Every structure is written in structure tokens, then in C-alpha cells.
Amino acid sequence: MKRVFIIVLDSFGIGELPDAADYGDQGSDTLGAVKKSPFFQMENMKRLGLFQIEGCGKDRDPGQPVPVFQGAVARMEEQSRGKDTTIGHWEIAGVVSEAPLPVFPEGFPEELLERLRERTGRGILCNRPYSGTEVIRDYGREHLRTGDLIVYTSADSVLQIAAHEDLVPPELLYQYCQAAREICQGPWGVGRIIARPFIGSWPDFTRTANRHDFSLEPPAPTMLDLLKEAGKTVISVGKIVDIFAGRGITEYVRTENNADGIEKTLKYMEKDFEGLCFTNLVDFDMLYGHRNDRDGYAKALAYFDSMLPRLEAAMRDEDILIITADHGCDPDTPSTDHSREYTPLIVTGKQCLKGVNLGTRQSFADIAASVLDYLGVKQNCRGVSFYPQIRALNVERLAETAIQARQQSYAPYSHFCVGAALLSEEGEVYSGCNVENAAYGPSVCAERTAFVKAVSEGKRRFRAIAIAGGPQGDQPSDYCAPCGVCRQVMEEFCGPDFLIILAKSRTDYQIRTLKELLPEGFGPGSLGSRKESAVK
Ligand code: THU
């Protein structure tokens, strides 16, 4: 029973995107800011590879080898124009937004208000950005006297309607909001219409718990829709159900806070289902990011980190856990608004390789593509699946084959013995060893021996190679990285995520990608006009 759990750490950005300046967010780095707090503690996320993500390892000594980590990681770039929760989550679910959701700092246009008056038969008061408590104090009496609705907005993409429960019962207010939702589409398509009922008398009006949100529906099918159509279970924990206007969700629970969200996710881990459980932990953003509370943010992250081992322990063999974010909200910048940042991707589970760095991915939508790929659902939303790169392969068997191949090494001159085991896309393994020559020059490395064998048998696409090399002796004494010429041969036949396993023994190895060992390589694509190699 295949299950994917996505946990969105709301606003946990990891550094400015290249276009951050267009959003006034130059230099924003949420992780960088919270890391300075004395309460910052993310040992488990570190173990999974948080600080191996591009741009997150500023404290890594470039001379030192990459530490071993247990997840598959990447840095995620946002393609959508925007930095809000809705657009970020939609992109995670495979929908890229070309324009940000509209905001109305000057109030809503007259044409929109006129249509709202027609639909509700009531006049409109305020029509400006306003604080929710002040707006009822300042307009509540006029509202009660005239019956007009209090319509206001904020810095966010929202249209809010406040009304006294004695004059407009909540059910009627919801109908008005539904009408507003139908009017507010296209260029007026605000993220949310919010019903804000209140009670009492001036100056002690108070808002009631009957608040209700009417979200904009995603403009295209999301991975949630595709999963639901395919008969999978799609569970929302927290505000996911609102972000997607309920679409594509088969079951939902709301949450009180992060701790509750984590507990409810753990509860779902105990249940049998096939599909997706999508959790949003909003406290990072709502309680700490927007309030520029760096220590509070750090403590909330430390709490999540301390719960990670429980989440990992509750996972079953066919579960994949994805931890990511929807945007940034740097608590150290003067702005209390979201920030345009990269987000982290951490993937773990028995079906996934450990210690793989996928570099920087071009869109959050790669998550949707990968989830659909793993769950075997036809994809027609944006994004490129990274699942083929992290799909579990038998690393130990490949390492063992390389170690055995090393025994055939012919190295009478250097006494440095190397074995390699190359895995083709089709699943065959080709082994090789180094073969030296008295004339030195004609010597061939183990990796190239394996490549030549495989290519001469018609193979052209490869997933991984294990390399075991070191001075003559039973076991290699260290990790042996491929020489420059072998890296160049890999560039010819392999994509940037080709895995290079440096094996000291069957169980002691480190994984690199070709992109890490040969950045900006010269490949078949470099000769023609096409940028990409024929095999990438
Ligand atoms: N060697 C390999 O087989 N692969 C490598 O990636 C590094 C070097 C061999 C070539 C030569 O026979 C010996 O190691 C010493 O350089």
C-alpha cells in the first residue's frame, strides 16, 4: 500500500530566489535568520541532509568531504509569480501561476462593488484595507442603522465581509460571501472571501467563531484532483483543504497548532490507505514569521525536529515522507510579510535512496510529478519527477559487485586496485577493473572498462556506478572518487543525476551525483545548438 506524506513547514524558506528583489525581498533567508537563535536545534533535519542543500551549507568547509546524510535533498525554486501560501501550495500540487493573486490596497473597483450590491440587495461600507477589530468599531453602528455590509481587505489577497449576527444571520452572510466568490474571478480572483460575523453593541462589538473562508479554486487540475480521480485517498491535515477550496480531497481534519498537526499526521500513519496525506504546519508563518519572532520560530522548528524520529518510526515500508515549504518569511528583515525564497526538499523512506543531493529543482511542481509517478497515476500537471533518481536501488549489491570486480584488477605498476559496477537503466550490471600496461599510457580505469563493456553490448542509458578502489589489500581503505577522464566518459552517457557510489565496503559508502562531481560538464549537447545532452 503506497502512501506519501507531505509536510509543509509553512514559510520555512532557505534563502532569496534570484528574482527576490522584484518582491522587495533581497537578502531574505528564513533559515539563515532562525539559525542565529540560541534555540535553533535541528539535529534530525541535519541528519537527513538539510545543510547539504545548495545554499544551506554556508558553514561547510569546502575542503572537507561531504558528510553522510540519510535523506534525498534538493533546493526548490518557485516558478509562479507570487509568494503567498495559496500559490506556493498550488505549485507543490503541480499548478504554476503566471500572475500573483490580486491585492486591492486602494479598495475594490466600483464595478465589482456594484455587482455585489446587486447580488445582496445591500449597500457597501468602508472598502479599504482595515484591521478586523477596528473596522467593526468604526463602521458597526452605521452598518446596524443602514443594513449596508462592511467590506474590507488587507495586505493579502482577500475580500472580507463583516456583518452583525442579529441583522445578517451567519447563514445569510455565507450566501453573500458565496455570491462575492462567484463575482471575484479572473482579475478580481482574490485568494479568499472571508465571512466575519460579529455580535454585541458599540463599542464592545466582538467577532464570533462563525468566521468562514471561501477560497479560490485552483485554475487547473492539481495532483490532488488527479489522485482522487484515480481512486486514491487524499487527506488534508490543517488548512490544505481551504487552500484547494476542498477540491481533490477525500478526507480532512483541521488542526489547532503545529503539535496537533503532527499528532494528526501520526494518527493517519496508523491507518490503512493508499494515496496522499498532505499536512500544513502553519504556526511557523502565522505565529512567528509574521511577528518577526526569530526565537519563537526557532523553538517551533526545534519542536518539529524533535518529533521527526516519531514520524520516521511510524512509517511503513512503502511510505515516502516529503518535507518542504511554500515560501519564506524571514523574521530578521523589517518586513513582516512573506519573502520570495527557495524552499527545502527532504525526502525519506525505505523506497528512496539515502544521501542523494538533487541540486536545485526548477519548480515546486516537481513534487507533484514525483508523487504521481510514485503512486502510478498519469501525470498531466507541471513538473518533472525526481522519483527515478531517488528510487531505491540495491546500493549494497552494486557496492559488493564493485568490490568483487576489484579482485580482478591488473595493477602491477601502481598496486592501486579499482573495481567498478555499472547499472544500466534496464537493470543489468556491468563490472570492470583497472587494466594497466608496461607502457603506462594505455592503462585503463575500472569505470571505463565497465562503460566500454556495457556500451559495446548496446547499452546507452545508466542509473548508477559503484566504485571501490585503493592500494592493494582486501578492502579499500578509503572512498575512491573517479578520475577526471572517467567523469568525462560519464558525461557522455549519463544525466546530471547519475549516481556515483563510492564504496569502502558493502555497507560503508557515500553517494554523489554526476552534477556534483562534474559541474558544467562538456557533453554531447555542447556541440550542437541544443543545451541538453541527448541522454539527459
Ligand atoms: N584508477 C581507476 O581505475 N579508476 C579511477 O577512477 C582512478 C584510477 C586506476 C588507474 C590506475 O590503474 C590506478 O588506478 C592508479 O592510478
Side-chain angles (χ1 to χ4, degrees), residues 206-220:
T206 47
R207 299 197 287 183
T208 72
N210 292 323
R211 165 190 166 150
H212 196 79
D213 292 34
F214 299 76
S215 304
L216 186 68
E217 282 199 25

Side-chain angles (χ1 to χ4, degrees), residues 462-480:
F462 305 96
R463 261 201 87 193
I465 191 167
I467 305 165
Q472 217 160 30
D474 278 355
Q475 290 269 334
S477 50
D478 205 349
Y479 306 109
C480 174

Side-chain angles (χ1 to χ4, degrees), residues 411 414 416 418 433-436 443-447 467 480-483 486:
S414 74
F416 191 93
V418 187
C433 64
N434 54 334
V435 181
E436 296 187 345
S443 295
V444 182
C445 291
E447 299 89 321
I467 305 165
C480 174
C483 78
C486 288

Side-chain angles (χ1 to χ4, degrees), residues 74-332:
R75 177 165 76 163
M76 307 301 282
E77 193 171 330
E78 182 162 18
Q79 279 300 310
S80 300
R81 300 284 305 157
K83 54 173 180 176
D84 63 53
T85 298
T86 305
I87 278 185
H89 280 77
W90 286 357
E91 184 162 326
I92 292 171
V95 173
V96 173
S97 308
E98 308 301 338
L101 295 177
V103 289
F104 294 90
E106 316 288 327
F108 299 99
E110 181 51 34
E111 204 187 328
L112 185 159
L113 299 181
E114 193 45 45
R115 293 184 53 186
L116 196 56
R117 286 189 201 99
E118 268 169 37
R119 291 284 302 267
T120 61
R122 290 181 184 272
I124 282 162
L125 299 172
C126 185
N127 188 33
R128 276 193 291 144
Y130 229 95
S131 130
T133 43
E134 285 168 21
V135 85
I136 51 179
R137 192 194 59 211
D138 295 351
Y139 291 91
R141 283 178 298 177
E142 196 180 342
H143 158 71
L144 283 172
R145 196 175 66 244
T146 59
D148 294 351
L149 299 170
I150 305 169
V151 173
Y152 64 107
T153 185
S154 73
D156 291 343
S157 181
V158 291
L159 181 151
Q160 314 193 65
I161 309 181
H164 199 287
E165 291 199 359
D166 291 347
L167 180 73
V168 180
E171 282 308 321
L172 183 59
L173 180 58
Y174 299 160
Q175 285 175 29
Y176 294 163
C177 288
Q178 186 54 44
R181 183 68 282 172
E182 286 159 24
I183 294 164
C184 292
Q185 297 292 330
W188 297 340
V190 288
R192 283 170 300 162
I193 309 285
I194 310 177
R196 295 283 196 179
F198 64 97
I199 50 174
S201 44
W202 192 85
D204 298 318
F205 291 130
T206 47
R207 299 197 287 183
T208 72
N210 292 323
R211 165 190 166 150
H212 196 79
D213 292 34
F214 299 76
S215 304
L216 186 68
E217 282 199 25
T222 69
M223 77 167 159
L224 310 186
D225 297 311
L226 299 173
L227 290 170
K228 188 179 172 186
E229 267 169 42
K232 310 281 181 204
T233 301
V234 184
I235 298 159
S236 152
V237 178
K239 64 192 243 186
I240 299 293
V241 65
D242 298 319
I243 295 168
F244 291 90
R247 230 178 59 196
I249 287 161
T250 61
E251 202 175 319
Y252 66 90
V253 278
R254 295 194 191 275
T255 56
E256 280 170 20
N257 49 39
N258 281 359
D260 189 37
I262 295 165
E263 287 308 324
K264 284 182 169 144
T265 305
L266 280 162
K267 274 265 165 292
Y268 275 113
M269 285 186 165
E270 287 169 15
K271 293 192 182 168
D272 291 342
F273 68 91
E274 175 146 328
L276 173 70
C277 175
F278 199 172
T279 300
N280 171 282
L281 301 180
V282 74
D283 292 0
F284 301 112
D285 180 68
M286 192 176 74
L287 299 183
Y288 311 114
H290 285 298
R291 295 181 188 168
N292 278 350
D293 179 358
R294 180 213 282 175
D295 287 346
Y297 204 129
K299 284 182 198 166
L301 285 172
Y303 177 77
F304 171 75
D305 193 77
S306 74
M307 296 302 283
L308 250 178
R310 263 184 77 196
L311 287 159
E312 289 173 281
M315 286 170 69
R316 300 180 184 170
D317 286 358
E318 288 189 293
D319 288 351
I320 291 181
L321 172 64
I322 297 176
I323 300 166
T324 189
D326 51 347
H327 51 72
C329 195
D330 185 331
D332 275 7

